[in-house]
Every structure is written in C-alpha cells, then in structure tokens.
Amino acid sequence: MLDRKSLRTDAEFVAAAVRARGLDLTALIEEWRILDERRRTTNATLEDLHRRRSSDAREHAARVHQSSDRVATEDTVERRRAIATLEGEAAALEERLTAIELLLPNIPHCSVPVGADERANRVERVVGDPPTFSFEPKAHWELGTALGILDFEKGVALAGARFTVLVDAAARLERSLINFMLDVHTREHGYREMQPPFFAHRRCLIGTGQLPKFEADLFKIEGTSLYAVPTAEVPLTNYYRDEILPEASLPQHLTAYTPCFRAEAGSHGRDVRGMIRQHQFDKVELVHITTPDESWTALEQLTGHAESILRRLKLPYRVVALSTGDLGFSAAKTFDLEVWLPGHGCYREISSCSNCGDFQARRAGIRYRPTGGGKPRFAHTLNGSGLAVGRTLIAILENYQQPDGSILIPEVLKPYFGGDKISRT
C-alpha cells in the first residue's frame, strides 16, 4: 500500500511510476484524489459539529442543573442527525479509498530498468558455465519417465493437469533438497525456521499483496476466508502483522518450507509439459523484516543466500534485475535467479528476491519503534525463494544427466540422499 501523503501531494509521480509498469491507472488515482479531498472536507465538518455538540452539551448541562428543563432542543436533534449522516458518508468514502489503494502496485525503485516486459530485464552476472555433453541432453520429463521416478499420468489421474507424482528416488531427492536448504539457511545464514499453517486468512493475502488483484490465481476453501498459501511469504510476513517491534529486534530473518498452491489462471498453454509450472510445488522461502536504512543491503544479502544454494549444488545460473514492466505487484525491486536447464536450452527462473519497501508493512500493519524513541515507523519487508524445490530437482536431473540416462547426485546432497546416483532399477 502506498503512502497517502505521496498520493495526495505527488499524484502525477505515482501515476507515471505505475505507467512504467505498463499500467495506466491515472483515472483511478484521480478518483482517489477527489474522494480524499471530499473525505477530508467531510471529516473537518464532522469535527466542527462534534465540537459544537460538546459545547452545547456543557451549556445544556448547566441549564439542567439550574432548572427542571431536560428536553433536547431542536438544534441538538438536527445536529445529531447531521453527524450520523456525515459519519456514514465518511465511512463510505474511507472504504472506497482503501479499495482503490489496494489495487495500486508498489513504486519501482529508481535503480530498476525501465521497460515494458522481460525483454528489458538486465543481466547482472552469470555464474558457472553450462555443462557440455557428448550426447543430446534430454528434458526432465524424458529423464524422469525413463527412470520411473516422475509419473505425470498418475498425477493427472489423481488430481488433473499440472500435478505430478514423485516416485522413489525423485521423492527422496525432493526431501533431501528441502532438508539441505533449511540446514544451510538456519545453521549458516542465521534464519529462524518456522513451520506455518499451509492456509491463510484473506487479510493475510491482502497484507502481502496477492489480494484483491490476484484472486483468480489462488485456491480458496469454499465457505471460509481461508486460502491455500501460494508461497510461505504470506504466513512468514504476516507473522508480525499489526505489531510494533522494538528496533533492537530487527532484522528478523525467517525461513520455512511449505507446499505452495497456485491456480496459474493466467498461464494457460504455458509450460504444459513437465514440472515447470505446477498447481502444487514445494518451496523454501526466505523473509527479512528490517528498517528502511538496512533494506537495500538486505536485498543483496538475501539474494546472496539464495545464490549460495545454487553454488553449492554447482548449478550454472544468472542473476537478472527485473524491469518495471516485469516487476511483481508488491515489489520495489527484484533480482531473479535463473538456472540453466540443458534440456530446455535456456535459463529458467528458480528464485525471485524482492525488496517491497514499506508497501507490505503498510497493508499488514508491521511497524517498529526506533531505539531512540519517537513514533512507530513502518518496517521494510523482503522475500525470496531459497529455493523453489521442484525446479531445483529439475535442474539437477538435466544438468547431472549421464549418457546412460542415470543422474549423478551433487556432492553436498549425498549425505541427505543416501547415495551418489539415480539409475533405472
């Protein structure tokens, strides 16, 4: 959620920043400005009426004390009616203002590349060389099917399209990756491990920005306000919703494994083969809650923590700064980590590391009180995948494939996996 002061005093800047994202919300912002002016006028009138009512009440109390006249004057009755009417108008205006604010995306940071879509993204660095093969590398769906460890047909039979059953070694590899990632982030990077619910209230998804805009991408439990979490970013960020934290307790570094559930409403026809775009997938999430002074350093740190997993697995990847047109709704700046997939012949996203500034904190009411005293301030929130587990599994299958169709296990995973190779049994 944007600062109302910015919307009020710099509406043209906000509208231009939103246009840089490829959205023209000028009319909506202008509606907000007009309604805000009306709301402030209404509130000023209400304050005046309340003052007059208080003054009249004191005068009436004095008269009652001196006589037996306890009947309210006609002016008093009319004033009460006027106050009730204006309070209703003020509440309706506030509701509409908030509804508009929830539809406005975050303002891109000044360092974000300006462009209409992913073609304007900027490659920051490339780490590792794509492997060379003496044979034509296969995609993960071919490898997994031949090895009998990825069952796409049974996934469809059990739950429909975009679901997959991991069998034997693939299931063990998925579990190994989850444990490996959590161990690195907690033991070496200092994160607190959490095990949050896999469902969240509507207010929590509003807090992190998935609602109301992306309702169609979520799975909702009918008859409740609960949604299956699309990412652990939702429960981890909302863990401190409506709280005021002491500055000394910041930064907070939280991590959690959760399954993630996404309807992928806007992706029909994209990545229909394999496990790239699933309705259910596993992810280890990283969340930082910190002060404004530290958040940009924190973005580099969080990105580095996600990168360390790829480095240890010796998977080639690149870091990409997303352009204004490719930026997520809540993000002020995002670095995508894209892993090389030989079977696809391209880099694919495996983590998005974002600084949301105070955008989510305003929506979720996450504040901190400065150590030196003073009014509470909104915290800054950051999040990133550390990593998307299913896509990491895909990357291992494709990058570590052998001429006979077997898959070598990365050195750091061998103690978790309990072996050094996946072969056809």
Side-chain angles (χ1 to χ4, degrees):
M1 185 175 289
L2 302 179
D3 183 1
R4 283 190 169 183
K5 186 177 180 181
S6 296
L7 281 168
R8 188 175 297 132
T9 62
D10 214 351
E12 290 185 7
F13 167 77
V14 173
V18 172
R19 281 196 298 274
R21 285 174 163 270
L23 301 170
D24 189 354
L25 301 180
T26 306
L28 202 61
I29 294 169
E30 178 62 14
E31 180 188 353
W32 186 95
R33 190 192 64 76
I34 292 170
L35 293 177
D36 178 59
E37 182 64 34
R38 189 183 304 169
R39 179 189 62 85
R40 287 190 290 156
T41 300
T42 300
N43 285 343
T45 303
L46 267 172
E47 289 176 8
D48 181 61
L49 286 173
H50 281 303
R51 282 195 298 269
R52 290 165 60 186
R53 185 176 67 174
S54 297
S55 176
D56 288 352
R58 288 193 296 271
E59 292 177 8
H60 182 65
R63 289 198 302 272
V64 168
H65 182 70
Q66 295 172 6
S67 69
S68 58
D69 182 13
R70 298 178 181 272
V71 180
T73 65
E74 186 175 336
D75 285 349
T76 301
V77 173
E78 286 300 317
R79 189 171 297 126
R80 287 176 182 170
R81 289 175 181 164
I83 287 173
T85 299
L86 286 172
E87 285 178 339
E89 291 177 6
L93 288 167
E94 183 64 33
E95 183 177 356
R96 178 56 184 161
L97 285 167
T98 300
I100 292 173
E101 289 164 6
L102 292 178
L103 294 174
L104 300 178
N106 203 352
I107 302 298
H109 188 260
C110 60
S111 63
V112 172
V114 177
D117 52 34
E118 67 275 3
R119 290 172 295 183
N121 292 349
R122 182 178 64 226
V123 176
E124 301 288 307
R125 55 187 173 275
V126 178
V127 180
D129 296 319
T132 56
F133 298 92
S134 60
F135 56 94
E136 185 69 26
K138 295 179 179 179
H140 67 278
W141 56 81
E142 299 174 277
L143 294 163
T145 300
L147 289 167
I149 61 173
L150 298 180
D151 197 328
F152 299 103
E153 291 184 1
K154 287 294 179 66
V156 172
L158 289 170
R162 298 188 189 271
F163 289 94
T164 305
V165 179
L166 306 187
V167 180
D168 296 328
R172 191 162 76 252
L173 180 56
E174 183 93 349
R175 176 162 49 88
S176 300
L177 283 166
I178 293 167
N179 289 334
F180 166 67
M181 292 176 190
L182 288 173
D183 281 350
V184 170
H185 295 315
T186 56
R187 296 175 183 177
E188 300 184 31
H189 299 155
Y191 287 78
R192 296 171 60 197
E193 183 177 351
M194 315 287 277
Q195 181 64 82
F198 298 160
F199 298 88
H201 280 293
R202 181 178 182 85
R203 61 179 176 269
C204 294
L205 288 118
I206 290 173
T208 42
Q210 284 81 11
L211 288 175
K213 185 174 176 61
F214 303 105
E215 179 99 35
D217 287 323
L218 303 172
F219 287 108
K220 188 177 188 296
I221 301 178
E222 189 174 353
T224 75
S225 65
L226 291 175
Y227 293 77
V229 296
T231 164
E233 168 199 345
V234 175
L236 291 183
T237 304
N238 280 277
Y239 186 73
Y240 289 112
R241 68 173 293 114
D242 297 326
E243 290 192 27
I244 300 175
L245 304 170
E247 184 176 4
S249 71
L250 300 179
Q252 290 284 329
H253 293 174
L254 309 177
T255 187
Y257 151 74
T258 66
C260 303
F261 305 91
R262 298 183 187 177
E264 298 289 358
S267 63
H268 294 300
R270 295 173 58 196
D271 302 312
V272 293
R273 297 195 70 182
M275 291 172 53
I276 287 290
R277 198 173 298 277
Q278 299 274 275
H279 288 314
Q280 175 188 316
F281 58 94
D282 292 331
K283 187 151 68 80
V284 171
E285 187 72 4
L286 308 175
V287 164
H288 288 203
I289 300 175
T290 189
T291 62
D293 290 343
E294 298 297 328
S295 70
W296 295 106
T297 300
L299 178 59
E300 299 290 342
Q301 182 185 47
L302 184 149
T303 304
H305 291 161
E307 285 185 76
S308 73
I309 301 297
L310 290 167
R311 289 178 183 272
R312 292 164 197 246
L313 293 172
K314 297 184 178 179
L315 292 170
Y317 69 95
R318 66 184 185 182
V319 181
V320 179
L322 299 192
S323 71
T324 53
D326 201 26
L327 207 58
F329 180 82
S330 296
K333 183 173 184 176
T334 297
F335 291 120
D336 266 10
L337 306 187
E338 298 179 346
V339 68
W340 176 256
L341 297 181
H344 294 68
C346 64
Y347 289 95
R348 297 303 299 263
E349 176 202 336
I350 198 168
S351 174
S352 286
C353 299
S354 302
N355 186 352
C356 298
D358 64 7
F359 186 81
Q360 292 180 327
R362 287 182 181 278
R363 296 168 75 105
I366 304 169
R367 296 180 292 169
Y368 71 96
R369 191 178 300 279
T371 300
K375 295 174 63 176
R377 302 173 185 173
F378 285 107
H380 278 201
T381 64
L382 303 92
N383 63 77
S385 303
L387 302 163
V389 182
R391 291 195 179 188
T392 308
L393 183 147
I394 289 170
I396 290 172
L397 295 183
E398 295 196 8
N399 281 278
Y400 281 87
Q401 60 182 294
Q402 301 301 299
D404 62 356
S406 64
I407 311 295
L408 297 181
I409 300 298
E411 195 67 34
V412 292
L413 279 185
K414 290 179 181 178
Y416 292 88
F417 183 76
D420 57 9
K421 182 186 285 191
I422 300 174
S423 302
R424 180 74 185 185
T425 56

Coordinates of all heavy atoms in Angstrom, one line a residue, residues 56-87:
D56 N -22.5 22.6 23.3 CA -23.9 22.7 23.6 C -24.3 21.8 24.8 O -25.1 22.1 25.6 CB -24.8 22.3 22.4 CG -24.8 23.4 21.3 OD1 -24.2 24.5 21.6 OD2 -25.3 23.1 20.2
A57 N -23.7 20.6 24.8 CA -23.9 19.7 25.9 C -23.5 20.3 27.2 O -24.2 20.1 28.3 CB -23.2 18.4 25.7
R58 N -22.4 21.0 27.3 CA -22.0 21.7 28.5 C -23.0 22.7 28.9 O -23.3 22.9 30.1 CB -20.6 22.2 28.3 CG -19.5 21.2 28.3 CD -18.1 21.8 28.4 NE -17.8 22.7 27.3 CZ -17.2 22.3 26.2 NH1 -16.9 21.0 26.0 NH2 -16.9 23.2 25.2
E59 N -23.4 23.5 27.9 CA -24.4 24.6 28.2 C -25.7 24.0 28.7 O -26.3 24.5 29.7 CB -24.6 25.5 27.0 CG -23.4 26.3 26.6 CD -23.7 27.1 25.3 OE1 -24.8 27.1 24.9 OE2 -22.7 27.7 24.8
H60 N -26.1 22.9 28.0 CA -27.4 22.3 28.4 C -27.3 21.7 29.8 O -28.2 21.8 30.6 CB -27.7 21.2 27.4 CG -29.0 20.5 27.7 ND1 -30.3 21.2 27.6 CD2 -29.3 19.2 28.0 CE1 -31.2 20.3 27.9 NE2 -30.7 19.1 28.2
A61 N -26.2 21.1 30.1 CA -26.0 20.5 31.5 C -26.1 21.6 32.5 O -26.6 21.4 33.6 CB -24.6 19.8 31.5
A62 N -25.5 22.8 32.2 CA -25.6 23.9 33.2 C -27.0 24.4 33.4 O -27.5 24.6 34.5 CB -24.7 25.1 32.7
R63 N -27.8 24.4 32.3 CA -29.3 24.8 32.4 C -30.1 23.8 33.2 O -30.9 24.1 34.0 CB -29.8 25.0 31.0 CG -29.3 26.2 30.2 CD -30.2 26.6 29.1 NE -30.4 25.5 28.1 CZ -29.6 25.3 27.1 NH1 -28.6 26.1 26.9 NH2 -29.8 24.3 26.3
V64 N -29.8 22.5 32.9 CA -30.5 21.5 33.6 C -30.2 21.5 35.1 O -31.1 21.3 35.9 CB -30.1 20.1 33.0 CG1 -30.6 19.0 33.9 CG2 -30.7 19.9 31.6
H65 N -29.0 21.9 35.4 CA -28.6 22.0 36.8 C -29.4 23.1 37.5 O -29.7 23.0 38.7 CB -27.1 22.2 36.9 CG -26.6 22.3 38.3 ND1 -26.5 21.2 39.1 CD2 -26.2 23.4 39.0 CE1 -26.1 21.6 40.3 NE2 -25.8 22.9 40.3
Q66 N -29.7 24.1 36.7 CA -30.4 25.3 37.3 C -31.9 25.2 37.2 O -32.7 26.0 37.8 CB -29.9 26.6 36.6 CG -28.5 26.8 36.9 CD -28.0 28.0 36.1 OE1 -28.8 28.7 35.4 NE2 -26.7 28.3 36.2
S67 N -32.4 24.2 36.4 CA -33.9 24.1 36.2 C -34.3 22.7 36.0 O -33.4 21.8 35.9 CB -34.4 25.0 35.0 OG -33.9 24.4 33.8
S68 N -35.5 22.5 35.7 CA -36.0 21.1 35.5 C -36.2 20.8 34.0 O -36.7 19.8 33.6 CB -37.4 20.9 36.2 OG -38.3 21.9 35.7
D69 N -35.8 21.7 33.1 CA -35.9 21.5 31.7 C -34.8 20.5 31.2 O -33.7 20.8 31.1 CB -35.7 22.9 31.0 CG -35.9 22.7 29.5 OD1 -36.4 21.7 29.0 OD2 -35.6 23.7 28.7
R70 N -35.3 19.3 30.8 CA -34.4 18.3 30.3 C -34.6 17.9 28.9 O -34.1 16.9 28.4 CB -34.5 17.0 31.2 CG -34.1 17.3 32.7 CD -34.3 16.0 33.5 NE -33.9 16.3 34.9 CZ -32.7 16.2 35.4 NH1 -31.7 15.8 34.6 NH2 -32.4 16.5 36.6
V71 N -35.5 18.7 28.2 CA -35.8 18.4 26.8 C -34.7 18.9 25.8 O -34.3 20.0 25.9 CB -37.2 19.0 26.4 CG1 -37.5 18.6 25.0 CG2 -38.2 18.5 27.4
A72 N -34.3 18.0 24.9 CA -33.3 18.4 24.0 C -33.8 19.4 23.0 O -35.0 19.4 22.6 CB -32.8 17.2 23.2
T73 N -33.1 20.4 22.6 CA -33.5 21.5 21.7 C -33.6 20.9 20.3 O -33.0 19.9 20.0 CB -32.6 22.7 21.7 OG1 -31.3 22.2 21.2 CG2 -32.4 23.2 23.1
E74 N -34.3 21.6 19.4 CA -34.5 21.1 18.0 C -33.1 21.1 17.3 O -32.8 20.3 16.5 CB -35.5 22.0 17.3 CG -35.8 21.5 15.9 CD -36.9 22.3 15.3 OE1 -37.7 22.9 16.0 OE2 -36.9 22.4 14.0
D75 N -32.3 22.2 17.6 CA -31.0 22.3 17.0 C -30.1 21.1 17.4 O -29.4 20.5 16.6 CB -30.3 23.5 17.5 CG -30.9 24.8 16.8 OD1 -31.6 24.6 15.9 OD2 -30.5 25.9 17.3
T76 N -30.2 20.6 18.6 CA -29.4 19.4 19.1 C -29.8 18.2 18.3 O -29.0 17.4 17.9 CB -29.6 19.2 20.6 OG1 -29.2 20.4 21.3 CG2 -28.8 18.0 21.0
V77 N -31.1 18.0 18.1 CA -31.6 16.8 17.4 C -31.1 16.8 16.0 O -30.7 15.8 15.4 CB -33.2 16.7 17.5 CG1 -33.7 15.6 16.6 CG2 -33.6 16.5 18.9
E78 N -31.3 18.0 15.3 CA -30.8 18.1 13.9 C -29.3 17.9 13.8 O -28.9 17.3 12.8 CB -31.2 19.5 13.4 CG -32.7 19.7 13.1 CD -33.2 18.7 12.1 OE1 -32.4 18.5 11.1 OE2 -34.2 18.2 12.3
R79 N -28.6 18.4 14.8 CA -27.1 18.2 14.7 C -26.8 16.7 14.8 O -25.9 16.2 14.2 CB -26.5 19.0 15.8 CG -24.9 19.0 15.7 CD -24.3 20.0 16.7 NE -24.8 21.4 16.4 CZ -25.3 22.2 17.3 NH1 -25.5 21.7 18.5 NH2 -25.7 23.4 16.9
R80 N -27.5 16.0 15.7 CA -27.2 14.5 15.8 C -27.5 13.8 14.5 O -26.8 12.9 14.1 CB -28.1 13.9 16.9 CG -27.7 14.3 18.3 CD -28.7 13.8 19.3 NE -28.3 14.2 20.7 CZ -29.1 14.0 21.7 NH1 -30.3 13.5 21.6 NH2 -28.7 14.4 22.9
R81 N -28.6 14.2 13.8 CA -28.9 13.6 12.5 C -27.8 13.9 11.5 O -27.4 13.1 10.7 CB -30.2 14.1 12.1 CG -31.4 13.6 12.9 CD -32.7 14.3 12.4 NE -33.9 13.8 13.2 CZ -35.0 14.4 13.2 NH1 -35.2 15.5 12.5 NH2 -36.0 13.9 13.9
A82 N -27.4 15.2 11.5 CA -26.3 15.6 10.6 C -25.0 14.8 10.8 O -24.3 14.4 9.9 CB -26.1 17.1 10.7
I83 N -24.7 14.6 12.1 CA -23.5 13.9 12.4 C -23.6 12.4 12.0 O -22.6 11.9 11.4 CB -23.2 13.9 13.9 CG1 -22.7 15.4 14.3 CG2 -22.2 12.9 14.4 CD1 -22.6 15.6 15.8
A84 N -24.7 11.8 12.2 CA -24.9 10.4 11.8 C -24.8 10.3 10.3 O -24.2 9.3 9.7 CB -26.3 9.9 12.3
T85 N -25.4 11.2 9.5 CA -25.3 11.2 8.1 C -23.9 11.3 7.6 O -23.4 10.6 6.7 CB -26.2 12.3 7.5 OG1 -27.6 12.1 7.9 CG2 -26.1 12.3 6.0
L86 N -23.2 12.3 8.1 CA -21.8 12.6 7.7 C -20.9 11.4 8.1 O -20.0 11.1 7.3 CB -21.3 13.9 8.3 CG -21.9 15.2 7.7 CD1 -21.5 16.4 8.5 CD2 -21.4 15.3 6.2
E87 N -21.1 10.8 9.2 CA -20.3 9.7 9.6 C -20.5 8.5 8.7 O -19.5 7.8 8.3 CB -20.6 9.2 11.1 CG -20.1 10.1 12.1 CD -20.5 9.7 13.5 OE1 -21.5 9.0 13.7 OE2 -19.8 10.2 14.5

